[in-house]
Short mmCIF file of all heavy atoms in Angstrom, two decimals:
data_model
loop_
_atom_site.label_atom_id
_atom_site.label_comp_id
_atom_site.label_asym_id
_atom_site.label_seq_id
_atom_site.Cartn_x
_atom_site.Cartn_y
_atom_site.Cartn_z
N ASP A 445 0.08 -20.40 -30.45
CA ASP A 445 0.80 -20.00 -31.66
C ASP A 445 2.29 -19.79 -31.40
O ASP A 445 3.00 -19.32 -32.27
CB ASP A 445 0.20 -18.73 -32.24
CG ASP A 445 0.47 -17.48 -31.40
OD1 ASP A 445 0.90 -17.63 -30.22
OD2 ASP A 445 0.25 -16.36 -31.89
N GLY A 446 2.76 -20.15 -30.21
CA GLY A 446 4.17 -20.06 -29.92
C GLY A 446 4.63 -18.66 -29.51
O GLY A 446 5.83 -18.38 -29.44
N SER A 447 3.71 -17.72 -29.25
CA SER A 447 4.08 -16.35 -28.88
C SER A 447 4.97 -16.32 -27.67
O SER A 447 4.85 -17.15 -26.76
CB SER A 447 2.81 -15.52 -28.59
OG SER A 447 2.12 -15.19 -29.79
N ASP A 448 5.88 -15.34 -27.66
CA ASP A 448 6.76 -15.12 -26.52
C ASP A 448 5.89 -14.67 -25.33
O ASP A 448 5.21 -13.65 -25.38
CB ASP A 448 7.75 -14.00 -26.89
CG ASP A 448 8.71 -13.65 -25.78
OD1 ASP A 448 8.48 -14.08 -24.65
OD2 ASP A 448 9.67 -12.91 -26.05
N PRO A 449 5.90 -15.43 -24.23
CA PRO A 449 5.04 -15.05 -23.06
C PRO A 449 5.30 -13.67 -22.50
O PRO A 449 4.39 -13.01 -22.03
CB PRO A 449 5.36 -16.14 -22.03
CG PRO A 449 5.84 -17.31 -22.84
CD PRO A 449 6.58 -16.71 -24.01
N VAL A 450 6.57 -13.21 -22.56
CA VAL A 450 6.86 -11.87 -22.05
C VAL A 450 6.24 -10.80 -22.90
O VAL A 450 5.63 -9.84 -22.45
CB VAL A 450 8.40 -11.66 -21.90
CG1 VAL A 450 8.70 -10.23 -21.56
CG2 VAL A 450 8.98 -12.60 -20.90
N ARG A 451 6.36 -10.97 -24.23
CA ARG A 451 5.77 -10.02 -25.14
C ARG A 451 4.22 -10.11 -25.11
O ARG A 451 3.54 -9.13 -25.43
CB ARG A 451 6.26 -10.25 -26.55
CG ARG A 451 7.76 -9.97 -26.73
CD ARG A 451 8.21 -10.38 -28.12
NE ARG A 451 7.68 -9.51 -29.16
CZ ARG A 451 8.29 -8.44 -29.67
NH1 ARG A 451 9.46 -8.05 -29.17
NH2 ARG A 451 7.73 -7.74 -30.63
N MET A 452 3.69 -11.23 -24.72
CA MET A 452 2.24 -11.40 -24.69
C MET A 452 1.62 -10.81 -23.43
O MET A 452 0.40 -10.57 -23.39
CB MET A 452 1.87 -12.88 -24.76
CG MET A 452 1.70 -13.44 -26.16
SD MET A 452 0.39 -12.64 -27.13
CE MET A 452 -1.05 -13.05 -26.17
N HIS A 453 2.41 -10.56 -22.39
CA HIS A 453 1.85 -10.10 -21.12
C HIS A 453 1.03 -8.83 -21.30
O HIS A 453 -0.13 -8.76 -20.90
CB HIS A 453 2.96 -9.86 -20.07
CG HIS A 453 2.43 -9.30 -18.81
ND1 HIS A 453 1.89 -10.08 -17.81
CD2 HIS A 453 2.35 -8.01 -18.37
CE1 HIS A 453 1.49 -9.32 -16.81
NE2 HIS A 453 1.79 -8.02 -17.11
N ASN A 454 1.61 -7.80 -21.90
CA ASN A 454 0.88 -6.56 -22.14
C ASN A 454 -0.07 -6.72 -23.34
O ASN A 454 -1.17 -6.18 -23.36
CB ASN A 454 1.85 -5.41 -22.43
CG ASN A 454 2.62 -5.00 -21.18
OD1 ASN A 454 2.21 -5.24 -20.05
ND2 ASN A 454 3.77 -4.40 -21.42
N TYR A 455 0.41 -7.42 -24.35
CA TYR A 455 -0.36 -7.53 -25.63
C TYR A 455 -1.65 -8.30 -25.41
O TYR A 455 -2.62 -8.09 -26.15
CB TYR A 455 0.52 -8.26 -26.65
CG TYR A 455 -0.01 -8.18 -28.07
CD1 TYR A 455 0.36 -7.12 -28.88
CD2 TYR A 455 -0.87 -9.17 -28.57
CE1 TYR A 455 -0.11 -7.06 -30.21
CE2 TYR A 455 -1.32 -9.09 -29.86
CZ TYR A 455 -0.94 -8.04 -30.68
OH TYR A 455 -1.42 -7.95 -31.97
N TYR A 456 -1.69 -9.16 -24.41
CA TYR A 456 -2.86 -10.00 -24.18
C TYR A 456 -4.16 -9.15 -24.05
O TYR A 456 -5.20 -9.49 -24.59
CB TYR A 456 -2.70 -10.85 -22.94
CG TYR A 456 -3.83 -11.84 -22.69
CD1 TYR A 456 -3.77 -13.12 -23.18
CD2 TYR A 456 -4.95 -11.44 -21.96
CE1 TYR A 456 -4.82 -14.02 -22.97
CE2 TYR A 456 -6.00 -12.34 -21.75
CZ TYR A 456 -5.93 -13.62 -22.24
OH TYR A 456 -6.96 -14.50 -22.04
N ALA A 457 -4.06 -8.04 -23.31
CA ALA A 457 -5.24 -7.18 -23.12
C ALA A 457 -5.76 -6.65 -24.46
O ALA A 457 -6.97 -6.58 -24.68
CB ALA A 457 -4.90 -6.02 -22.20
N LEU A 458 -4.84 -6.30 -25.35
CA LEU A 458 -5.21 -5.83 -26.65
C LEU A 458 -5.93 -6.91 -27.45
O LEU A 458 -6.99 -6.65 -28.06
CB LEU A 458 -3.97 -5.37 -27.42
CG LEU A 458 -4.17 -4.72 -28.76
CD1 LEU A 458 -4.79 -3.35 -28.60
CD2 LEU A 458 -2.85 -4.59 -29.52
N LEU A 459 -5.42 -8.13 -27.38
CA LEU A 459 -6.03 -9.25 -28.11
C LEU A 459 -7.41 -9.57 -27.57
O LEU A 459 -8.36 -9.81 -28.32
CB LEU A 459 -5.08 -10.45 -28.00
CG LEU A 459 -5.36 -11.65 -28.88
CD1 LEU A 459 -5.41 -11.25 -30.37
CD2 LEU A 459 -4.31 -12.72 -28.68
#
Side-chain angles (χ1 to χ4, degrees):
D445 71 347
S447 286
D448 179 348
V450 174
R451 294 174 69 94
M452 272 299 298
H453 175 83
N454 291 337
Y455 193 89
Y456 184 92
L458 185 70
L459 191 56

